[in-house]
Amino acid sequence: MGKRVALVLAGCGVFDGSEIHEASAALVHLSRGGAEVKIFAPNIEQRDVINHLKGSPAEEKRNVLVESARLARGNIQDLAELKASEFDAVIFPGGFGVAKNLCSWAVDGKNCTVNEHVNSTLQAFHSAKKPIGLCCISPVLAAKVFPGCEVTVGQDKNIDGRFPDAETASAITELGCKHICKNVNESHVDKANKIVTTCAFMCKAPLHEIFDGIGTMVQEVLKLA
């Protein structure tokens, strides 16, 4: 029987929700790994709405669960209904929605607060010793909730201009966690906490390299499950 995996989304679209390519890549790799996937998102209002064509704020309101349903092809549940006991692992794709809707990192950095249902989900899987997979900016969730854990968001220096958000690694360190430098096609496994992370679009890289990196994260999560 395949592993049962919960995928948690933060909206639909890189600038105000889940990064679509990352969510899709995770789903493809989970499918290839024979996993049974159910998708969740918090039933809350988005922090903001971005016009992705213009890259500017839009004067409208959207709901994270409703927008995430676009990615889930309508087959989605309120994150409040997620029970860790029914799954073997949980995975969080990235995108600015993680830093805006699942927590307040986009505004408050390391002093952010984490959405109550996101926090309780992470705590439940961690307490049950079930693996947690995170990519792109979502490793900051683990850094905030689990002091002392090990994660990667790529590199801690902007090497060749490929890691423009390298300062995130410093913020993670300031939270008392250990940042592990990894290339885009790699992931890091914190064996003690069963947390698997990969940098994805935190690196300016060809899409296939990001896809492959997410694949390593998914594979490690399924191994730990």
PDB file of all heavy atoms in Angstrom, residues 112-151:
ATOM      1  N   CYS A 112       8.034  36.312  13.149  1.00  0.00           N
ATOM      2  CA  CYS A 112       6.705  36.004  12.615  1.00  0.00           C
ATOM      3  C   CYS A 112       5.877  35.142  13.561  1.00  0.00           C
ATOM      4  O   CYS A 112       6.396  34.503  14.473  1.00  0.00           O
ATOM      5  CB  CYS A 112       6.823  35.302  11.269  1.00  0.00           C
ATOM      6  SG  CYS A 112       7.426  33.593  11.382  1.00  0.00           S
ATOM      7  N   THR A 113       4.582  35.143  13.308  1.00  0.00           N
ATOM      8  CA  THR A 113       3.671  34.208  13.957  1.00  0.00           C
ATOM      9  C   THR A 113       3.226  33.194  12.910  1.00  0.00           C
ATOM     10  O   THR A 113       3.202  33.489  11.709  1.00  0.00           O
ATOM     11  CB  THR A 113       2.434  34.929  14.523  1.00  0.00           C
ATOM     12  OG1 THR A 113       1.799  35.665  13.464  1.00  0.00           O
ATOM     13  CG2 THR A 113       2.834  35.893  15.623  1.00  0.00           C
ATOM     14  N   VAL A 114       2.902  31.999  13.351  1.00  0.00           N
ATOM     15  CA  VAL A 114       2.475  30.915  12.458  1.00  0.00           C
ATOM     16  C   VAL A 114       0.987  30.671  12.659  1.00  0.00           C
ATOM     17  O   VAL A 114       0.507  30.635  13.796  1.00  0.00           O
ATOM     18  CB  VAL A 114       3.278  29.624  12.747  1.00  0.00           C
ATOM     19  CG1 VAL A 114       2.808  28.482  11.845  1.00  0.00           C
ATOM     20  CG2 VAL A 114       4.773  29.877  12.536  1.00  0.00           C
ATOM     21  N   ASN A 115       0.253  30.525  11.558  1.00  0.00           N
ATOM     22  CA  ASN A 115      -1.181  30.233  11.623  1.00  0.00           C
ATOM     23  C   ASN A 115      -1.431  29.065  12.568  1.00  0.00           C
ATOM     24  O   ASN A 115      -0.689  28.077  12.569  1.00  0.00           O
ATOM     25  CB  ASN A 115      -1.684  29.902  10.216  1.00  0.00           C
ATOM     26  CG  ASN A 115      -3.097  29.364  10.196  1.00  0.00           C
ATOM     27  OD1 ASN A 115      -3.308  28.166  10.359  1.00  0.00           O
ATOM     28  ND2 ASN A 115      -4.055  30.236   9.990  1.00  0.00           N
ATOM     29  N   GLU A 116      -2.486  29.159  13.382  1.00  0.00           N
ATOM     30  CA  GLU A 116      -2.714  28.162  14.426  1.00  0.00           C
ATOM     31  C   GLU A 116      -2.882  26.751  13.868  1.00  0.00           C
ATOM     32  O   GLU A 116      -2.380  25.783  14.457  1.00  0.00           O
ATOM     33  CB  GLU A 116      -3.955  28.525  15.255  1.00  0.00           C
ATOM     34  CG  GLU A 116      -5.253  28.603  14.477  1.00  0.00           C
ATOM     35  CD  GLU A 116      -6.453  28.832  15.378  1.00  0.00           C
ATOM     36  OE1 GLU A 116      -6.509  28.234  16.470  1.00  0.00           O
ATOM     37  OE2 GLU A 116      -7.358  29.604  14.977  1.00  0.00           O
ATOM     38  N   HIS A 117      -3.565  26.594  12.733  1.00  0.00           N
ATOM     39  CA  HIS A 117      -3.776  25.265  12.173  1.00  0.00           C
ATOM     40  C   HIS A 117      -2.500  24.727  11.510  1.00  0.00           C
ATOM     41  O   HIS A 117      -2.261  23.514  11.521  1.00  0.00           O
ATOM     42  CB  HIS A 117      -4.934  25.282  11.183  1.00  0.00           C
ATOM     43  CG  HIS A 117      -6.257  25.589  11.814  1.00  0.00           C
ATOM     44  ND1 HIS A 117      -6.778  24.839  12.851  1.00  0.00           N
ATOM     45  CD2 HIS A 117      -7.161  26.572  11.575  1.00  0.00           C
ATOM     46  CE1 HIS A 117      -7.936  25.339  13.223  1.00  0.00           C
ATOM     47  NE2 HIS A 117      -8.189  26.397  12.468  1.00  0.00           N
ATOM     48  N   VAL A 118      -1.702  25.624  10.954  1.00  0.00           N
ATOM     49  CA  VAL A 118      -0.400  25.216  10.406  1.00  0.00           C
ATOM     50  C   VAL A 118       0.492  24.743  11.544  1.00  0.00           C
ATOM     51  O   VAL A 118       1.136  23.691  11.460  1.00  0.00           O
ATOM     52  CB  VAL A 118       0.263  26.386   9.647  1.00  0.00           C
ATOM     53  CG1 VAL A 118       1.696  26.017   9.228  1.00  0.00           C
ATOM     54  CG2 VAL A 118      -0.561  26.766   8.423  1.00  0.00           C
ATOM     55  N   ASN A 119       0.533  25.516  12.618  1.00  0.00           N
ATOM     56  CA  ASN A 119       1.352  25.163  13.776  1.00  0.00           C
ATOM     57  C   ASN A 119       0.921  23.823  14.373  1.00  0.00           C
ATOM     58  O   ASN A 119       1.771  22.954  14.637  1.00  0.00           O
ATOM     59  CB  ASN A 119       1.248  26.258  14.834  1.00  0.00           C
ATOM     60  CG  ASN A 119       2.137  25.994  16.024  1.00  0.00           C
ATOM     61  OD1 ASN A 119       3.355  26.081  15.942  1.00  0.00           O
ATOM     62  ND2 ASN A 119       1.529  25.659  17.149  1.00  0.00           N
ATOM     63  N   SER A 120      -0.382  23.644  14.565  1.00  0.00           N
ATOM     64  CA  SER A 120      -0.861  22.397  15.178  1.00  0.00           C
ATOM     65  C   SER A 120      -0.618  21.201  14.257  1.00  0.00           C
ATOM     66  O   SER A 120      -0.324  20.092  14.734  1.00  0.00           O
ATOM     67  CB  SER A 120      -2.347  22.510  15.524  1.00  0.00           C
ATOM     68  OG  SER A 120      -3.129  22.724  14.371  1.00  0.00           O
ATOM     69  N   THR A 121      -0.690  21.417  12.943  1.00  0.00           N
ATOM     70  CA  THR A 121      -0.398  20.343  11.989  1.00  0.00           C
ATOM     71  C   THR A 121       1.065  19.926  12.089  1.00  0.00           C
ATOM     72  O   THR A 121       1.382  18.734  12.187  1.00  0.00           O
ATOM     73  CB  THR A 121      -0.721  20.793  10.551  1.00  0.00           C
ATOM     74  OG1 THR A 121      -2.133  21.017  10.434  1.00  0.00           O
ATOM     75  CG2 THR A 121      -0.295  19.746   9.535  1.00  0.00           C
ATOM     76  N   LEU A 122       1.953  20.896  12.079  1.00  0.00           N
ATOM     77  CA  LEU A 122       3.383  20.598  12.187  1.00  0.00           C
ATOM     78  C   LEU A 122       3.687  19.896  13.509  1.00  0.00           C
ATOM     79  O   LEU A 122       4.413  18.895  13.536  1.00  0.00           O
ATOM     80  CB  LEU A 122       4.197  21.894  12.075  1.00  0.00           C
ATOM     81  CG  LEU A 122       4.233  22.549  10.701  1.00  0.00           C
ATOM     82  CD1 LEU A 122       4.799  23.965  10.793  1.00  0.00           C
ATOM     83  CD2 LEU A 122       5.078  21.714   9.728  1.00  0.00           C
ATOM     84  N   GLN A 123       3.127  20.392  14.588  1.00  0.00           N
ATOM     85  CA  GLN A 123       3.370  19.802  15.907  1.00  0.00           C
ATOM     86  C   GLN A 123       2.852  18.366  15.967  1.00  0.00           C
ATOM     87  O   GLN A 123       3.504  17.482  16.541  1.00  0.00           O
ATOM     88  CB  GLN A 123       2.697  20.649  16.993  1.00  0.00           C
ATOM     89  CG  GLN A 123       3.272  22.046  17.157  1.00  0.00           C
ATOM     90  CD  GLN A 123       4.580  22.077  17.927  1.00  0.00           C
ATOM     91  OE1 GLN A 123       5.195  21.049  18.218  1.00  0.00           O
ATOM     92  NE2 GLN A 123       5.035  23.265  18.263  1.00  0.00           N
ATOM     93  N   ALA A 124       1.689  18.134  15.359  1.00  0.00           N
ATOM     94  CA  ALA A 124       1.088  16.798  15.411  1.00  0.00           C
ATOM     95  C   ALA A 124       1.938  15.770  14.667  1.00  0.00           C
ATOM     96  O   ALA A 124       2.165  14.656  15.159  1.00  0.00           O
ATOM     97  CB  ALA A 124      -0.319  16.830  14.828  1.00  0.00           C
ATOM     98  N   PHE A 125       2.422  16.132  13.469  1.00  0.00           N
ATOM     99  CA  PHE A 125       3.254  15.196  12.709  1.00  0.00           C
ATOM    100  C   PHE A 125       4.598  14.986  13.402  1.00  0.00           C
ATOM    101  O   PHE A 125       5.109  13.865  13.453  1.00  0.00           O
ATOM    102  CB  PHE A 125       3.456  15.704  11.277  1.00  0.00           C
ATOM    103  CG  PHE A 125       2.319  15.368  10.357  1.00  0.00           C
ATOM    104  CD1 PHE A 125       1.200  16.188  10.283  1.00  0.00           C
ATOM    105  CD2 PHE A 125       2.350  14.220   9.576  1.00  0.00           C
ATOM    106  CE1 PHE A 125       0.138  15.879   9.448  1.00  0.00           C
ATOM    107  CE2 PHE A 125       1.292  13.894   8.736  1.00  0.00           C
ATOM    108  CZ  PHE A 125       0.179  14.727   8.680  1.00  0.00           C
ATOM    109  N   HIS A 126       5.162  16.050  13.946  1.00  0.00           N
ATOM    110  CA  HIS A 126       6.446  15.946  14.637  1.00  0.00           C
ATOM    111  C   HIS A 126       6.327  15.072  15.880  1.00  0.00           C
ATOM    112  O   HIS A 126       7.171  14.189  16.122  1.00  0.00           O
ATOM    113  CB  HIS A 126       6.931  17.349  15.010  1.00  0.00           C
ATOM    114  CG  HIS A 126       8.311  17.395  15.566  1.00  0.00           C
ATOM    115  ND1 HIS A 126       8.572  17.501  16.917  1.00  0.00           N
ATOM    116  CD2 HIS A 126       9.523  17.340  14.958  1.00  0.00           C
ATOM    117  CE1 HIS A 126       9.877  17.519  17.109  1.00  0.00           C
ATOM    118  NE2 HIS A 126      10.488  17.423  15.945  1.00  0.00           N
ATOM    119  N   SER A 127       5.260  15.279  16.648  1.00  0.00           N
ATOM    120  CA  SER A 127       5.053  14.489  17.874  1.00  0.00           C
ATOM    121  C   SER A 127       4.858  13.011  17.558  1.00  0.00           C
ATOM    122  O   SER A 127       5.276  12.140  18.321  1.00  0.00           O
ATOM    123  CB  SER A 127       3.834  15.014  18.638  1.00  0.00           C
ATOM    124  OG  SER A 127       4.060  16.327  19.096  1.00  0.00           O
ATOM    125  N   ALA A 128       4.233  12.737  16.403  1.00  0.00           N
ATOM    126  CA  ALA A 128       3.991  11.355  15.990  1.00  0.00           C
ATOM    127  C   ALA A 128       5.196  10.741  15.273  1.00  0.00           C
ATOM    128  O   ALA A 128       5.130   9.604  14.801  1.00  0.00           O
ATOM    129  CB  ALA A 128       2.766  11.293  15.083  1.00  0.00           C
ATOM    130  N   LYS A 129       6.291  11.535  15.193  1.00  0.00           N
ATOM    131  CA  LYS A 129       7.520  11.096  14.522  1.00  0.00           C
ATOM    132  C   LYS A 129       7.253  10.721  13.053  1.00  0.00           C
ATOM    133  O   LYS A 129       7.771   9.730  12.534  1.00  0.00           O
ATOM    134  CB  LYS A 129       8.173   9.935  15.274  1.00  0.00           C
ATOM    135  CG  LYS A 129       8.698  10.340  16.656  1.00  0.00           C
ATOM    136  CD  LYS A 129       9.371   9.188  17.376  1.00  0.00           C
ATOM    137  CE  LYS A 129      10.138   9.645  18.607  1.00  0.00           C
ATOM    138  NZ  LYS A 129       9.461  10.639  19.454  1.00  0.00           N
ATOM    139  N   LYS A 130       6.416  11.538  12.412  1.00  0.00           N
ATOM    140  CA  LYS A 130       6.109  11.359  10.993  1.00  0.00           C
ATOM    141  C   LYS A 130       6.799  12.466  10.202  1.00  0.00           C
ATOM    142  O   LYS A 130       6.865  13.606  10.660  1.00  0.00           O
ATOM    143  CB  LYS A 130       4.593  11.397  10.769  1.00  0.00           C
ATOM    144  CG  LYS A 130       3.865  10.222  11.417  1.00  0.00           C
ATOM    145  CD  LYS A 130       2.362  10.297  11.191  1.00  0.00           C
ATOM    146  CE  LYS A 130       1.666   9.080  11.796  1.00  0.00           C
ATOM    147  NZ  LYS A 130       0.194   9.110  11.581  1.00  0.00           N
ATOM    148  N   PRO A 131       7.339  12.153   9.020  1.00  0.00           N
ATOM    149  CA  PRO A 131       8.142  13.121   8.281  1.00  0.00           C
ATOM    150  C   PRO A 131       7.362  14.329   7.767  1.00  0.00           C
ATOM    151  O   PRO A 131       6.178  14.243   7.439  1.00  0.00           O
ATOM    152  CB  PRO A 131       8.707  12.304   7.118  1.00  0.00           C
ATOM    153  CG  PRO A 131       7.796  11.143   6.984  1.00  0.00           C
ATOM    154  CD  PRO A 131       7.300  10.840   8.352  1.00  0.00           C
ATOM    155  N   ILE A 132       8.107  15.448   7.707  1.00  0.00           N
ATOM    156  CA  ILE A 132       7.586  16.722   7.225  1.00  0.00           C
ATOM    157  C   ILE A 132       8.480  17.178   6.080  1.00  0.00           C
ATOM    158  O   ILE A 132       9.698  17.307   6.250  1.00  0.00           O
ATOM    159  CB  ILE A 132       7.604  17.779   8.351  1.00  0.00           C
ATOM    160  CG1 ILE A 132       6.720  17.330   9.517  1.00  0.00           C
ATOM    161  CG2 ILE A 132       7.175  19.142   7.819  1.00  0.00           C
ATOM    162  CD1 ILE A 132       6.922  18.158  10.790  1.00  0.00           C
ATOM    163  N   GLY A 133       7.906  17.410   4.905  1.00  0.00           N
ATOM    164  CA  GLY A 133       8.662  17.894   3.750  1.00  0.00           C
ATOM    165  C   GLY A 133       8.324  19.347   3.467  1.00  0.00           C
ATOM    166  O   GLY A 133       7.149  19.729   3.495  1.00  0.00           O
ATOM    167  N   LEU A 134       9.355  20.162   3.235  1.00  0.00           N
ATOM    168  CA  LEU A 134       9.141  21.581   2.977  1.00  0.00           C
ATOM    169  C   LEU A 134      10.078  22.056   1.878  1.00  0.00           C
ATOM    170  O   LEU A 134      11.246  21.656   1.841  1.00  0.00           O
ATOM    171  CB  LEU A 134       9.405  22.399   4.247  1.00  0.00           C
ATOM    172  CG  LEU A 134       8.683  21.950   5.516  1.00  0.00           C
ATOM    173  CD1 LEU A 134       9.689  21.589   6.604  1.00  0.00           C
ATOM    174  CD2 LEU A 134       7.746  23.038   6.020  1.00  0.00           C
ATOM    175  N   CYS A 135       9.575  22.919   0.983  1.00  0.00           N
ATOM    176  CA  CYS A 135      10.457  23.443  -0.051  1.00  0.00           C
ATOM    177  C   CYS A 135      10.322  24.947  -0.214  1.00  0.00           C
ATOM    178  O   CYS A 135       9.347  25.545   0.254  1.00  0.00           O
ATOM    179  CB  CYS A 135      10.264  22.716  -1.386  1.00  0.00           C
ATOM    180  SG  CYS A 135       8.676  22.897  -2.170  1.00  0.00           S
ATOM    181  N   CYS A 136      11.343  25.537  -0.836  1.00  0.00           N
ATOM    182  CA  CYS A 136      11.390  26.974  -1.099  1.00  0.00           C
ATOM    183  C   CYS A 136      11.444  27.743   0.223  1.00  0.00           C
ATOM    184  O   CYS A 136      12.323  27.525   1.033  1.00  0.00           O
ATOM    185  CB  CYS A 136      10.199  27.379  -1.963  1.00  0.00           C
ATOM    186  SG  CYS A 136      10.329  29.021  -2.699  1.00  0.00           S
ATOM    187  N   ILE A 137      10.478  28.627   0.493  1.00  0.00           N
ATOM    188  CA  ILE A 137      10.467  29.410   1.727  1.00  0.00           C
ATOM    189  C   ILE A 137       9.830  28.654   2.889  1.00  0.00           C
ATOM    190  O   ILE A 137       9.994  29.029   4.052  1.00  0.00           O
ATOM    191  CB  ILE A 137       9.733  30.765   1.491  1.00  0.00           C
ATOM    192  CG1 ILE A 137       9.908  31.732   2.670  1.00  0.00           C
ATOM    193  CG2 ILE A 137       8.237  30.515   1.221  1.00  0.00           C
ATOM    194  CD1 ILE A 137      11.331  32.177   2.925  1.00  0.00           C
ATOM    195  N   SER A 138       9.114  27.563   2.612  1.00  0.00           N
ATOM    196  CA  SER A 138       8.386  26.887   3.691  1.00  0.00           C
ATOM    197  C   SER A 138       9.269  26.290   4.793  1.00  0.00           C
ATOM    198  O   SER A 138       8.765  26.080   5.904  1.00  0.00           O
ATOM    199  CB  SER A 138       7.427  25.828   3.138  1.00  0.00           C
ATOM    200  OG  SER A 138       8.105  24.815   2.460  1.00  0.00           O
ATOM    201  N   PRO A 139      10.571  26.038   4.579  1.00  0.00           N
ATOM    202  CA  PRO A 139      11.395  25.596   5.716  1.00  0.00           C
ATOM    203  C   PRO A 139      11.416  26.577   6.882  1.00  0.00           C
ATOM    204  O   PRO A 139      11.718  26.180   8.014  1.00  0.00           O
ATOM    205  CB  PRO A 139      12.785  25.431   5.092  1.00  0.00           C
ATOM    206  CG  PRO A 139      12.492  25.029   3.679  1.00  0.00           C
ATOM    207  CD  PRO A 139      11.301  25.861   3.300  1.00  0.00           C
ATOM    208  N   VAL A 140      11.070  27.853   6.640  1.00  0.00           N
ATOM    209  CA  VAL A 140      11.043  28.798   7.766  1.00  0.00           C
ATOM    210  C   VAL A 140       9.954  28.419   8.767  1.00  0.00           C
ATOM    211  O   VAL A 140      10.058  28.768   9.950  1.00  0.00           O
ATOM    212  CB  VAL A 140      10.854  30.262   7.300  1.00  0.00           C
ATOM    213  CG1 VAL A 140      11.978  30.664   6.355  1.00  0.00           C
ATOM    214  CG2 VAL A 140       9.479  30.509   6.695  1.00  0.00           C
ATOM    215  N   LEU A 141       8.931  27.703   8.312  1.00  0.00           N
ATOM    216  CA  LEU A 141       7.895  27.234   9.235  1.00  0.00           C
ATOM    217  C   LEU A 141       8.503  26.305  10.277  1.00  0.00           C
ATOM    218  O   LEU A 141       8.235  26.423  11.477  1.00  0.00           O
ATOM    219  CB  LEU A 141       6.779  26.513   8.480  1.00  0.00           C
ATOM    220  CG  LEU A 141       5.950  27.338   7.491  1.00  0.00           C
ATOM    221  CD1 LEU A 141       5.030  26.421   6.694  1.00  0.00           C
ATOM    222  CD2 LEU A 141       5.153  28.419   8.211  1.00  0.00           C
ATOM    223  N   ALA A 142       9.327  25.368   9.802  1.00  0.00           N
ATOM    224  CA  ALA A 142       9.987  24.437  10.718  1.00  0.00           C
ATOM    225  C   ALA A 142      10.961  25.178  11.625  1.00  0.00           C
ATOM    226  O   ALA A 142      11.053  24.902  12.826  1.00  0.00           O
ATOM    227  CB  ALA A 142      10.723  23.351   9.940  1.00  0.00           C
ATOM    228  N   ALA A 143      11.683  26.140  11.049  1.00  0.00           N
ATOM    229  CA  ALA A 143      12.650  26.899  11.837  1.00  0.00           C
ATOM    230  C   ALA A 143      11.971  27.658  12.974  1.00  0.00           C
ATOM    231  O   ALA A 143      12.520  27.793  14.067  1.00  0.00           O
ATOM    232  CB  ALA A 143      13.408  27.871  10.934  1.00  0.00           C
ATOM    233  N   LYS A 144      10.767  28.134  12.716  1.00  0.00           N
ATOM    234  CA  LYS A 144      10.032  28.886  13.732  1.00  0.00           C
ATOM    235  C   LYS A 144       9.390  27.972  14.775  1.00  0.00           C
ATOM    236  O   LYS A 144       9.380  28.276  15.971  1.00  0.00           O
ATOM    237  CB  LYS A 144       8.941  29.735  13.052  1.00  0.00           C
ATOM    238  CG  LYS A 144       8.217  30.680  13.993  1.00  0.00           C
ATOM    239  CD  LYS A 144       9.138  31.768  14.525  1.00  0.00           C
ATOM    240  CE  LYS A 144       8.405  32.704  15.483  1.00  0.00           C
ATOM    241  NZ  LYS A 144       9.281  33.785  15.983  1.00  0.00           N
ATOM    242  N   VAL A 145       8.879  26.838  14.319  1.00  0.00           N
ATOM    243  CA  VAL A 145       8.131  25.942  15.214  1.00  0.00           C
ATOM    244  C   VAL A 145       9.036  24.979  15.973  1.00  0.00           C
ATOM    245  O   VAL A 145       8.727  24.594  17.106  1.00  0.00           O
ATOM    246  CB  VAL A 145       7.064  25.168  14.402  1.00  0.00           C
ATOM    247  CG1 VAL A 145       6.328  24.146  15.269  1.00  0.00           C
ATOM    248  CG2 VAL A 145       6.061  26.146  13.780  1.00  0.00           C
ATOM    249  N   PHE A 146      10.169  24.589  15.352  1.00  0.00           N
ATOM    250  CA  PHE A 146      11.056  23.596  15.968  1.00  0.00           C
ATOM    251  C   PHE A 146      12.473  24.144  16.141  1.00  0.00           C
ATOM    252  O   PHE A 146      13.366  23.853  15.332  1.00  0.00           O
ATOM    253  CB  PHE A 146      11.099  22.325  15.115  1.00  0.00           C
ATOM    254  CG  PHE A 146       9.747  21.755  14.793  1.00  0.00           C
ATOM    255  CD1 PHE A 146       9.316  21.650  13.477  1.00  0.00           C
ATOM    256  CD2 PHE A 146       8.897  21.323  15.799  1.00  0.00           C
ATOM    257  CE1 PHE A 146       8.073  21.128  13.166  1.00  0.00           C
ATOM    258  CE2 PHE A 146       7.648  20.802  15.504  1.00  0.00           C
ATOM    259  CZ  PHE A 146       7.231  20.708  14.186  1.00  0.00           C
ATOM    260  N   PRO A 147      12.720  24.957  17.159  1.00  0.00           N
ATOM    261  CA  PRO A 147      14.061  25.493  17.396  1.00  0.00           C
ATOM    262  C   PRO A 147      15.089  24.367  17.484  1.00  0.00           C
ATOM    263  O   PRO A 147      14.828  23.332  18.088  1.00  0.00           O
ATOM    264  CB  PRO A 147      13.916  26.212  18.741  1.00  0.00           C
ATOM    265  CG  PRO A 147      12.461  26.540  18.844  1.00  0.00           C
ATOM    266  CD  PRO A 147      11.753  25.387  18.187  1.00  0.00           C
ATOM    267  N   GLY A 148      16.217  24.574  16.833  1.00  0.00           N
ATOM    268  CA  GLY A 148      17.276  23.573  16.858  1.00  0.00           C
ATOM    269  C   GLY A 148      17.246  22.614  15.686  1.00  0.00           C
ATOM    270  O   GLY A 148      18.167  21.809  15.517  1.00  0.00           O
ATOM    271  N   CYS A 149      16.206  22.686  14.859  1.00  0.00           N
ATOM    272  CA  CYS A 149      16.140  21.766  13.714  1.00  0.00           C
ATOM    273  C   CYS A 149      17.118  22.181  12.618  1.00  0.00           C
ATOM    274  O   CYS A 149      17.703  23.271  12.656  1.00  0.00           O
ATOM    275  CB  CYS A 149      14.711  21.688  13.161  1.00  0.00           C
ATOM    276  SG  CYS A 149      14.163  23.173  12.285  1.00  0.00           S
ATOM    277  N   GLU A 150      17.300  21.306  11.652  1.00  0.00           N
ATOM    278  CA  GLU A 150      18.185  21.568  10.511  1.00  0.00           C
ATOM    279  C   GLU A 150      17.344  21.691   9.247  1.00  0.00           C
ATOM    280  O   GLU A 150      16.496  20.843   8.972  1.00  0.00           O
ATOM    281  CB  GLU A 150      19.179  20.421  10.317  1.00  0.00           C
ATOM    282  CG  GLU A 150      20.115  20.201  11.494  1.00  0.00           C
ATOM    283  CD  GLU A 150      21.031  18.998  11.257  1.00  0.00           C
ATOM    284  OE1 GLU A 150      20.864  18.322  10.218  1.00  0.00           O
ATOM    285  OE2 GLU A 150      21.886  18.741  12.113  1.00  0.00           O
ATOM    286  N   VAL A 151      17.569  22.768   8.483  1.00  0.00           N
ATOM    287  CA  VAL A 151      16.850  22.964   7.226  1.00  0.00           C
ATOM    288  C   VAL A 151      17.774  23.584   6.189  1.00  0.00           C
ATOM    289  O   VAL A 151      18.853  24.076   6.521  1.00  0.00           O
ATOM    290  CB  VAL A 151      15.612  23.887   7.399  1.00  0.00           C
ATOM    291  CG1 VAL A 151      14.605  23.293   8.370  1.00  0.00           C
ATOM    292  CG2 VAL A 151      16.025  25.290   7.835  1.00  0.00           C
TER     293      VAL A 151
END
